[in-house]
Amino acid sequence: MKRGAQEQTSLLEIITTVYAACMLSVFLLFPGLGGYAGITAEKWRAFLLFSGGYVALTALLRLELALTGGGRLPSPAAVWRSMGVSQKLIAGFWALSAVSTALSVDKSVSFWGGPRYEGLLTITLYCAACLLVSRYGRPKRWLLWLFGVSMSLNCLLAFLQLAGYNPLGLYPQGMNYYDANVLYAGEFLGTVGNADIFSAVLCAAIPAFWIAAVKLPGRNRFFLLIPLALCTAVLWKTFVAGGIVGVIGSALLTVPVLLKDRRARAAGFAAVLCVCVLGVAGIYAFGGQLGGFLYEASELLHGRWDDSFGSGRLYIWRKTAELIPERLLFGGGPDTLGLRTDAAFERYDETLGILIRSSVDAAHNEYLNILVNQGLPALLAYLAALLTAAAKWVRTAAENPVSAICGGAVLGYCVQAFFGISSPISAPCLWLALGFLMNSVSHVSKEGVHDK
């Protein structure tokens, strides 16, 4: 019986590795079959296939072991006791999201998802896959190489698109990247779709690659500088402000964490604090002369608010915040913001001679989005899960390369999330990295990534 349980655990570890490999390659590179017009829906179906299949297969294997006499299914109480604090908080976040769905303004939308496909079904697979990876995930070095290849191919495609070409026919016929928001709605790039969502993936990838190049042993790690350079170049070329802030912010916070000496680490955090203070002072004094989002940040520091700032994000945040008191505890239900707000953008299409109105269905801030959709307790559980995982990352990153890499990826994503849109295209990067991070601080030895 004991041997059967051990064999099943080994099989679950293999399945988890295969799942991670599929998400970091096939899922990431799959461009859909109908171009950018339907890429979100098709990526969501691919997410359901991989993540749903992984969760279902894991459950069936556990059931098979119990039915064949190889062991008993653990009771819910035993499962709960075996979970760490971060894992329990993730389970709590899911449970509160389920309550929010039950009390939703539209239960069908809250379960299946609206235009963003982030209903309870998607949230369930986020949380379940993350918890399973935190238990059965064994990070392999080749997974990082695979991710590097996938991101390199994605970036090479993006460079062709930025050069005006339309490989794979993802743009409408006769159009290219530079027709964005003129001849077609949105701005799309790579095999991810929306350029802002692509920047969220880049914010997870860039920290993972540069930390790996610093922390992993062997000369082969320097090959990761190739995808690092490509990802950085694409982010700089597109210059998505949230992505730029995410990469810079994560780098500033990560460098001191990687230092082993306590005094050096304290000095590093002090230096980061000084850089932040000087940066804010510089933006206050000179941001108005620099233009772009630095000008907008300077205006905000001077107390001058304009709804157009942040490509309209301040307008969206204000309109979203107005809804919070209506349903503070459990929100309107997952993915229901579009049903509750009248926020919208309008533009005049000179070619068609018509006024085009685009409704708002996301808060453009993932934390605010959870607050208005799932309520304050769900947001607090989510933030607490991230913070407890971050605390373990700070304690282990200097000695544990896996913790350092995965924690850096989570941090990069979480910083840009202040300006980003959660999507089943990009969010799996967060949940996968978070699962491996929780695993690394409890199961992986300080010697780092498994070589085989």
Side-chain angles (χ1 to χ4, degrees):
M1 219 167 16
K2 187 174 181 180
R3 181 179 178 182
Q6 291 174 342
E7 290 175 351
Q8 191 201 55
T9 299
S10 297
L11 181 57
L12 288 171
E13 291 174 0
I14 293 172
I15 292 172
T16 299
T17 300
V18 172
Y19 166 69
C22 289
M23 293 300 292
L24 294 174
S25 59
V26 180
F27 173 77
L28 185 61
L29 292 174
F30 175 58
L33 303 176
Y36 285 130
I39 192 170
T40 302
E42 297 205 26
K43 283 278 198 180
W44 178 64
R45 295 188 189 101
F47 168 76
L48 293 182
L49 175 64
F50 288 119
S51 296
Y54 168 57
V55 173
L57 183 57
T58 301
L60 287 173
L61 283 173
R62 295 289 292 169
L63 181 61
E64 184 270 342
L65 179 66
L67 293 176
T68 56
R72 292 187 305 172
L73 286 175
S75 66
V79 172
W80 182 258
R81 287 194 299 270
S82 69
M83 296 169 66
V85 176
S86 298
Q87 294 167 318
K88 289 178 180 177
L89 288 166
I90 289 173
F93 167 70
W94 174 84
L96 290 166
S97 298
V99 173
S100 175
T101 300
L103 302 175
S104 171
V105 296
D106 190 318
K107 293 180 177 59
S108 177
V109 169
S110 288
F111 181 81
W112 294 105
R116 295 291 171 188
Y117 298 96
E118 281 211 313
L120 182 64
L121 176 60
T122 300
I123 293 170
T124 299
L125 293 179
Y126 285 162
C127 297
C130 178
L131 292 175
L132 289 172
V133 169
S134 73
R135 182 175 180 85
Y136 299 112
R138 296 295 182 268
K140 311 289 185 180
R141 192 174 298 181
W142 62 264
L143 286 174
L144 193 58
W145 307 138
L146 180 64
F147 186 40
V149 170
S150 298
M151 289 305 299
S152 295
L153 292 174
N154 222 320
C155 289
L156 290 174
L157 172 62
F159 281 127
L160 289 174
Q161 293 171 327
L162 290 167
Y165 298 102
N166 186 17
L168 305 181
L170 296 174
Y171 297 107
Q173 187 175 4
M175 302 180 192
N176 61 29
Y177 172 78
Y178 297 99
D179 294 316
N181 296 314
V182 178
L183 298 182
Y184 63 87
E187 184 177 352
F188 300 97
L189 203 63
T191 61
V192 172
N194 184 284
D196 287 343
I197 294 175
F198 190 16
S199 75
V201 177
L202 292 173
C203 283
I206 290 173
F209 294 144
W210 78 255
I211 294 171
V214 171
K215 296 292 292 184
L216 291 180
R219 294 182 179 179
N220 287 343
R221 72 185 190 276
F222 293 117
F223 284 112
L224 292 171
L225 296 178
I226 297 173
L228 173 62
L230 292 172
C231 290
T232 304
V234 169
L235 183 60
W236 182 258
K237 179 66 176 178
T238 56
F239 211 81
V240 176
I244 298 293
V245 172
V247 168
I248 294 176
S250 66
L252 286 174
L253 294 172
T254 299
V255 170
V257 172
L258 299 182
L259 299 175
K260 296 182 180 181
D261 183 78
R262 289 186 177 182
R263 291 184 178 179
R265 179 178 289 194
F269 279 118
V272 168
L273 180 61
C274 290
V275 168
C276 291
V277 171
L278 291 174
V280 170
I283 292 173
Y284 181 89
F286 307 108
Q289 306 170 25
L290 299 175
F293 73 90
L294 293 177
Y295 163 76
E296 295 174 354
S298 177
E299 288 293 286
L300 288 174
L301 290 174
H302 282 87
R304 295 188 283 268
W305 176 289
D306 190 315
D307 279 350
S308 67
F309 288 170
S311 300
R313 275 177 174 76
L314 293 190
Y315 164 71
I316 296 172
W317 293 351
R318 179 176 61 80
K319 296 293 287 186
T320 300
E322 293 173 358
L323 301 174
I324 295 173
E326 295 178 6
R327 288 174 165 262
L328 177 63
L329 290 181
F330 298 107
D335 216 7
T336 59
L337 175 60
L339 303 178
R340 301 176 60 203
T341 182
D342 59 357
F345 292 105
E346 295 181 346
R347 65 183 178 89
Y348 183 75
D349 191 312
E350 297 182 357
T351 303
L352 300 177
I354 60 174
L355 183 68
I356 298 176
R357 189 175 191 271
S358 301
S359 59
V360 171
D361 53 25
H364 289 256
N365 177 308
E366 294 191 26
Y367 309 104
L368 181 58
N369 206 66
I370 293 173
L371 177 58
V372 74
N373 282 338
Q374 288 133 273
L376 180 60
L379 174 62
L380 293 176
Y382 180 74
L383 292 175
L386 293 175
L387 290 173
T388 53
K392 292 183 178 179
W393 172 63
V394 171
R395 292 197 299 268
T396 60
E399 299 289 346
N400 186 337
V402 176
S403 173
I405 294 167
C406 294
V410 169
L411 179 60
Y413 182 97
C414 289
V415 174
Q416 70 78 36
F418 280 98
F419 315 96
I421 301 171
S422 180
S423 165
I425 301 176
S426 55
C429 292
L430 167 68
W431 293 101
L432 191 60
L434 182 59
F436 277 127
L437 172 62
M438 291 189 294
N439 179 283
S440 70
V441 298
S442 58
H443 294 293
V444 179
S445 69
K446 292 184 178 181
E447 294 177 1
V449 181
H450 295 273
D451 292 313
K452 295 183 181 180

